[in-house]
Amino acid sequence: MSSIPVPLFASISVHRRVPALLIVSGVLLSGCATPQNPDPIESVNRKTFALNEGIDKVVLKPVATAYKTVVPTPVRSGVSNFFSNLGDPWSGANLLLQGRFKDGLSDFARFGTNTTVGLLGFMDVATDWGMPRHGDGFSDTLGVWGVGGGAYVVLPLFGPSDLRSTASIPVNSYGNLTGQLEDAGARNAFTIVGMVDRRANLLDVTKMVDEVALDKYLFVRDAYLQRRAQREADRSGAPRMESDAPKPEAAKPDASERETPRP
């Protein structure tokens, strides 16, 4: 499994006080990494990366390949749009918290437009109407508030992350509409379908990574850190950085942007 594309979601029971504790922990631990050494626990991360690769090879990749083979492209596009639409209100809320009121209101309008005109979000008409998707999560908000990303970590099942994004996972799980479903079966069903759909969309990307990367772990880590740096540069208005690596943001969101349904 390439950890670039594996947006796996785990069903986790989270006490309502845990998000705050994790955020504080992430802030305190953010000093463990430096620009010269963003990966201070590389030996542990490599083991987790190998575990994720094995799980993907045995389970997720075969299922995603079958899904892509059987399900027509228009249907798969509709499913992807549907899940993206569910995340737009939370993105809008985070943009408002960041002080980006125009973008935040745009994401709320995007959700309303795609939910109604776009048939529950299966069609993305809002983008063509001048309402692009921003996809911000609570990790982005913490970044605007001055919290550093901290050390790079590889999470079991979740894949590439950092301390700030890891601390944001429980908060994002409550903010995403999928996480608000009271029925555990429905939440898990949404989780599985969304997971398989995202993995299917990334089959070509992971194939390319497998072919070109001499050290896949380093390739994935550098791509993630470049993406994080670029998002921070975009928020500060700095010029965009050039990179020869595939755009990791097209591959998968970081852990902070994924919904984590409760059981």
Side-chain angles (χ1 to χ4, degrees), residues 193-229:
V193 174
M195 173 180 64
V196 172
D197 178 71
R198 289 193 181 195
R199 184 62 180 93
N201 290 337
L202 296 163
L203 286 171
D204 292 338
V205 174
T206 51
K207 180 180 178 181
M208 181 191 67
V209 173
D210 290 337
E211 292 174 349
V212 304
L214 297 178
D215 186 332
K216 189 185 296 186
Y217 173 83
L218 292 181
F219 185 95
V220 172
R221 184 192 68 186
D222 292 347
Y224 178 89
L225 294 175
Q226 287 175 10
R227 175 185 182 272
R228 185 179 73 178

Short mmCIF file of all heavy atoms in Angstrom, two decimals, residues 193-229:
data_model
loop_
_atom_site.label_atom_id
_atom_site.label_comp_id
_atom_site.label_asym_id
_atom_site.label_seq_id
_atom_site.Cartn_x
_atom_site.Cartn_y
_atom_site.Cartn_z
N VAL A 193 -17.49 2.68 1.81
CA VAL A 193 -17.69 3.12 0.42
C VAL A 193 -16.75 4.28 0.09
O VAL A 193 -16.11 4.30 -0.97
CB VAL A 193 -19.16 3.55 0.19
CG1 VAL A 193 -19.32 4.15 -1.21
CG2 VAL A 193 -20.09 2.36 0.36
N GLY A 194 -16.63 5.25 1.01
CA GLY A 194 -15.75 6.37 0.76
C GLY A 194 -14.29 5.95 0.66
O GLY A 194 -13.54 6.44 -0.19
N MET A 195 -13.90 5.02 1.51
CA MET A 195 -12.53 4.52 1.50
C MET A 195 -12.21 3.83 0.18
O MET A 195 -11.16 4.09 -0.44
CB MET A 195 -12.36 3.53 2.66
CG MET A 195 -11.06 2.78 2.71
SD MET A 195 -11.02 1.65 4.13
CE MET A 195 -12.34 0.52 3.70
N VAL A 196 -13.10 2.96 -0.28
CA VAL A 196 -12.86 2.24 -1.53
C VAL A 196 -12.87 3.19 -2.72
O VAL A 196 -12.04 3.08 -3.63
CB VAL A 196 -13.92 1.13 -1.71
CG1 VAL A 196 -13.81 0.49 -3.09
CG2 VAL A 196 -13.77 0.07 -0.62
N ASP A 197 -13.78 4.16 -2.70
CA ASP A 197 -13.85 5.11 -3.81
C ASP A 197 -12.57 5.93 -3.93
O ASP A 197 -12.03 6.11 -5.02
CB ASP A 197 -15.05 6.04 -3.63
CG ASP A 197 -15.16 7.07 -4.73
OD1 ASP A 197 -15.50 6.71 -5.87
OD2 ASP A 197 -14.89 8.26 -4.46
N ARG A 198 -12.06 6.41 -2.81
CA ARG A 198 -10.83 7.20 -2.84
C ARG A 198 -9.65 6.36 -3.31
O ARG A 198 -8.82 6.82 -4.09
CB ARG A 198 -10.54 7.79 -1.46
CG ARG A 198 -11.50 8.89 -1.05
CD ARG A 198 -10.96 9.62 0.15
NE ARG A 198 -11.89 10.68 0.58
CZ ARG A 198 -11.56 11.65 1.41
NH1 ARG A 198 -10.32 11.71 1.88
NH2 ARG A 198 -12.43 12.56 1.76
N ARG A 199 -9.59 5.13 -2.82
CA ARG A 199 -8.47 4.27 -3.22
C ARG A 199 -8.54 3.97 -4.71
O ARG A 199 -7.50 3.92 -5.39
CB ARG A 199 -8.49 2.97 -2.40
CG ARG A 199 -7.28 2.06 -2.68
CD ARG A 199 -6.00 2.77 -2.30
NE ARG A 199 -4.82 1.94 -2.54
CZ ARG A 199 -4.11 1.95 -3.66
NH1 ARG A 199 -4.45 2.75 -4.66
NH2 ARG A 199 -3.04 1.18 -3.78
N ALA A 200 -9.74 3.77 -5.24
CA ALA A 200 -9.89 3.50 -6.67
C ALA A 200 -9.45 4.70 -7.50
O ALA A 200 -8.83 4.54 -8.56
CB ALA A 200 -11.35 3.15 -6.98
N ASN A 201 -9.73 5.89 -7.03
CA ASN A 201 -9.33 7.10 -7.75
C ASN A 201 -7.82 7.28 -7.80
O ASN A 201 -7.31 8.06 -8.62
CB ASN A 201 -9.96 8.34 -7.11
CG ASN A 201 -11.46 8.40 -7.33
OD1 ASN A 201 -11.98 7.80 -8.26
ND2 ASN A 201 -12.16 9.11 -6.46
N LEU A 202 -7.10 6.58 -6.93
CA LEU A 202 -5.67 6.77 -6.82
C LEU A 202 -4.85 5.58 -7.33
O LEU A 202 -3.64 5.54 -7.14
CB LEU A 202 -5.30 7.05 -5.36
CG LEU A 202 -5.92 8.35 -4.83
CD1 LEU A 202 -5.87 8.37 -3.32
CD2 LEU A 202 -5.21 9.56 -5.40
N LEU A 203 -5.49 4.66 -7.98
CA LEU A 203 -4.76 3.49 -8.48
C LEU A 203 -3.66 3.88 -9.46
O LEU A 203 -2.55 3.35 -9.41
CB LEU A 203 -5.74 2.51 -9.13
CG LEU A 203 -6.63 1.73 -8.16
CD1 LEU A 203 -7.70 0.97 -8.93
CD2 LEU A 203 -5.82 0.79 -7.30
N ASP A 204 -3.95 4.81 -10.35
CA ASP A 204 -2.94 5.23 -11.33
C ASP A 204 -1.78 5.95 -10.65
O ASP A 204 -0.62 5.78 -11.04
CB ASP A 204 -3.57 6.13 -12.39
CG ASP A 204 -4.54 5.38 -13.28
OD1 ASP A 204 -4.44 4.14 -13.37
OD2 ASP A 204 -5.41 6.03 -13.90
N VAL A 205 -2.09 6.76 -9.64
CA VAL A 205 -1.04 7.49 -8.93
C VAL A 205 -0.10 6.51 -8.23
O VAL A 205 1.12 6.64 -8.30
CB VAL A 205 -1.66 8.46 -7.90
CG1 VAL A 205 -0.57 9.11 -7.05
CG2 VAL A 205 -2.48 9.53 -8.61
N THR A 206 -0.67 5.55 -7.53
CA THR A 206 0.18 4.62 -6.80
C THR A 206 0.98 3.73 -7.73
O THR A 206 2.11 3.35 -7.41
CB THR A 206 -0.66 3.73 -5.87
OG1 THR A 206 -1.74 3.15 -6.61
CG2 THR A 206 -1.26 4.55 -4.74
N LYS A 207 0.43 3.41 -8.88
CA LYS A 207 1.19 2.63 -9.85
C LYS A 207 2.42 3.41 -10.30
O LYS A 207 3.53 2.84 -10.42
CB LYS A 207 0.31 2.30 -11.05
CG LYS A 207 1.03 1.48 -12.12
CD LYS A 207 0.12 1.18 -13.29
CE LYS A 207 0.86 0.40 -14.38
NZ LYS A 207 -0.01 0.12 -15.54
N MET A 208 2.25 4.71 -10.54
CA MET A 208 3.37 5.53 -10.96
C MET A 208 4.42 5.62 -9.85
O MET A 208 5.63 5.52 -10.11
CB MET A 208 2.90 6.93 -11.33
CG MET A 208 4.01 7.86 -11.80
SD MET A 208 3.46 9.57 -11.93
CE MET A 208 3.16 9.95 -10.21
N VAL A 209 3.97 5.79 -8.60
CA VAL A 209 4.90 5.87 -7.49
C VAL A 209 5.69 4.57 -7.36
O VAL A 209 6.90 4.58 -7.13
CB VAL A 209 4.15 6.19 -6.17
CG1 VAL A 209 5.09 6.09 -4.98
CG2 VAL A 209 3.52 7.56 -6.23
N ASP A 210 5.01 3.45 -7.51
CA ASP A 210 5.69 2.16 -7.44
C ASP A 210 6.78 2.04 -8.50
O ASP A 210 7.82 1.42 -8.27
CB ASP A 210 4.68 1.02 -7.63
CG ASP A 210 3.74 0.87 -6.44
OD1 ASP A 210 4.12 1.32 -5.34
OD2 ASP A 210 2.64 0.32 -6.62
N GLU A 211 6.55 2.66 -9.65
CA GLU A 211 7.49 2.53 -10.76
C GLU A 211 8.68 3.48 -10.66
O GLU A 211 9.78 3.15 -11.10
CB GLU A 211 6.75 2.77 -12.08
CG GLU A 211 5.74 1.68 -12.43
CD GLU A 211 4.92 2.02 -13.66
OE1 GLU A 211 5.01 3.19 -14.12
OE2 GLU A 211 4.20 1.14 -14.17
N VAL A 212 8.48 4.66 -10.06
CA VAL A 212 9.54 5.68 -10.11
C VAL A 212 10.29 5.86 -8.80
O VAL A 212 11.41 6.39 -8.80
CB VAL A 212 8.96 7.05 -10.54
CG1 VAL A 212 8.24 6.94 -11.87
CG2 VAL A 212 8.03 7.63 -9.47
N ALA A 213 9.71 5.44 -7.68
CA ALA A 213 10.32 5.73 -6.39
C ALA A 213 11.34 4.66 -6.01
O ALA A 213 11.00 3.48 -5.91
CB ALA A 213 9.25 5.83 -5.31
N LEU A 214 12.60 5.07 -5.79
CA LEU A 214 13.61 4.14 -5.32
C LEU A 214 13.39 3.81 -3.85
O LEU A 214 13.59 2.67 -3.42
CB LEU A 214 15.00 4.75 -5.51
CG LEU A 214 15.42 5.04 -6.96
CD1 LEU A 214 16.79 5.70 -7.00
CD2 LEU A 214 15.40 3.76 -7.79
N ASP A 215 12.99 4.79 -3.07
CA ASP A 215 12.63 4.60 -1.67
C ASP A 215 11.24 5.19 -1.49
O ASP A 215 11.08 6.40 -1.35
CB ASP A 215 13.64 5.28 -0.75
CG ASP A 215 13.39 4.99 0.73
OD1 ASP A 215 12.24 4.73 1.10
OD2 ASP A 215 14.37 5.03 1.50
N LYS A 216 10.24 4.33 -1.51
CA LYS A 216 8.86 4.82 -1.49
C LYS A 216 8.55 5.60 -0.21
O LYS A 216 7.82 6.60 -0.24
CB LYS A 216 7.89 3.65 -1.64
CG LYS A 216 6.45 4.10 -1.85
CD LYS A 216 5.49 2.93 -1.88
CE LYS A 216 5.75 2.00 -3.03
NZ LYS A 216 4.72 0.95 -3.12
N TYR A 217 9.11 5.17 0.89
CA TYR A 217 8.85 5.88 2.15
C TYR A 217 9.31 7.33 2.05
O TYR A 217 8.57 8.25 2.41
CB TYR A 217 9.56 5.19 3.31
CG TYR A 217 9.48 5.97 4.60
CD1 TYR A 217 8.36 5.89 5.41
CD2 TYR A 217 10.52 6.83 4.98
CE1 TYR A 217 8.28 6.64 6.58
CE2 TYR A 217 10.44 7.57 6.14
CZ TYR A 217 9.32 7.48 6.94
OH TYR A 217 9.22 8.24 8.09
N LEU A 218 10.53 7.55 1.57
CA LEU A 218 11.04 8.91 1.44
C LEU A 218 10.23 9.71 0.43
O LEU A 218 9.99 10.91 0.62
CB LEU A 218 12.51 8.88 1.03
CG LEU A 218 13.50 8.35 2.06
CD1 LEU A 218 14.92 8.40 1.52
CD2 LEU A 218 13.41 9.15 3.37
N PHE A 219 9.83 9.08 -0.65
CA PHE A 219 9.04 9.76 -1.67
C PHE A 219 7.72 10.27 -1.07
O PHE A 219 7.33 11.43 -1.26
CB PHE A 219 8.76 8.82 -2.84
CG PHE A 219 8.06 9.46 -3.99
CD1 PHE A 219 8.78 9.95 -5.07
CD2 PHE A 219 6.67 9.58 -4.02
CE1 PHE A 219 8.13 10.54 -6.15
CE2 PHE A 219 6.03 10.18 -5.08
CZ PHE A 219 6.76 10.66 -6.16
N VAL A 220 7.04 9.39 -0.33
CA VAL A 220 5.75 9.75 0.26
C VAL A 220 5.94 10.83 1.33
O VAL A 220 5.19 11.80 1.39
CB VAL A 220 5.08 8.50 0.86
CG1 VAL A 220 3.83 8.89 1.66
CG2 VAL A 220 4.71 7.51 -0.23
N ARG A 221 6.97 10.67 2.17
CA ARG A 221 7.21 11.66 3.22
C ARG A 221 7.50 13.03 2.62
O ARG A 221 6.93 14.05 3.05
CB ARG A 221 8.39 11.22 4.09
CG ARG A 221 8.65 12.16 5.27
CD ARG A 221 9.97 11.85 5.93
NE ARG A 221 11.10 12.19 5.05
CZ ARG A 221 12.38 11.91 5.33
NH1 ARG A 221 12.67 11.26 6.45
NH2 ARG A 221 13.34 12.26 4.50
N ASP A 222 8.39 13.08 1.62
CA ASP A 222 8.74 14.37 1.03
C ASP A 222 7.55 15.01 0.34
O ASP A 222 7.37 16.23 0.38
CB ASP A 222 9.90 14.20 0.05
CG ASP A 222 11.20 13.84 0.75
OD1 ASP A 222 11.27 13.96 1.99
OD2 ASP A 222 12.15 13.41 0.05
N ALA A 223 6.72 14.20 -0.32
CA ALA A 223 5.53 14.73 -0.97
C ALA A 223 4.57 15.32 0.05
O ALA A 223 3.99 16.40 -0.16
CB ALA A 223 4.84 13.63 -1.78
N TYR A 224 4.40 14.63 1.19
CA TYR A 224 3.52 15.14 2.23
C TYR A 224 4.03 16.46 2.80
O TYR A 224 3.28 17.42 2.97
CB TYR A 224 3.38 14.11 3.35
CG TYR A 224 2.50 14.59 4.49
CD1 TYR A 224 1.14 14.37 4.47
CD2 TYR A 224 3.05 15.30 5.57
CE1 TYR A 224 0.32 14.84 5.50
CE2 TYR A 224 2.24 15.77 6.59
CZ TYR A 224 0.88 15.53 6.55
OH TYR A 224 0.09 16.01 7.56
N LEU A 225 5.32 16.51 3.10
CA LEU A 225 5.89 17.73 3.68
C LEU A 225 5.86 18.89 2.69
O LEU A 225 5.65 20.04 3.06
CB LEU A 225 7.32 17.45 4.15
CG LEU A 225 7.45 16.47 5.31
CD1 LEU A 225 8.91 16.17 5.61
CD2 LEU A 225 6.74 17.01 6.56
N GLN A 226 6.05 18.59 1.39
CA GLN A 226 5.94 19.64 0.37
C GLN A 226 4.51 20.16 0.31
O GLN A 226 4.29 21.38 0.18
CB GLN A 226 6.37 19.10 -0.99
CG GLN A 226 7.86 18.89 -1.13
CD GLN A 226 8.23 18.23 -2.44
OE1 GLN A 226 7.40 18.10 -3.35
NE2 GLN A 226 9.48 17.80 -2.56
N ARG A 227 3.56 19.27 0.41
CA ARG A 227 2.16 19.69 0.38
C ARG A 227 1.85 20.58 1.58
O ARG A 227 1.19 21.62 1.45
CB ARG A 227 1.24 18.47 0.39
CG ARG A 227 -0.24 18.83 0.49
CD ARG A 227 -1.10 17.57 0.63
NE ARG A 227 -2.50 17.92 0.67
CZ ARG A 227 -3.16 18.23 1.78
NH1 ARG A 227 -2.52 18.25 2.93
NH2 ARG A 227 -4.44 18.54 1.73
N ARG A 228 2.33 20.18 2.76
CA ARG A 228 2.09 20.98 3.96
C ARG A 228 2.71 22.36 3.82
O ARG A 228 2.07 23.38 4.14
CB ARG A 228 2.65 20.27 5.19
CG ARG A 228 2.33 20.98 6.50
CD ARG A 228 2.88 20.22 7.70
NE ARG A 228 4.34 20.33 7.80
CZ ARG A 228 5.05 19.79 8.80
NH1 ARG A 228 4.43 19.09 9.74
NH2 ARG A 228 6.36 19.94 8.84
N ALA A 229 3.94 22.40 3.33
CA ALA A 229 4.62 23.68 3.15
C ALA A 229 3.88 24.55 2.14
O ALA A 229 3.79 25.77 2.30
CB ALA A 229 6.06 23.46 2.72
#
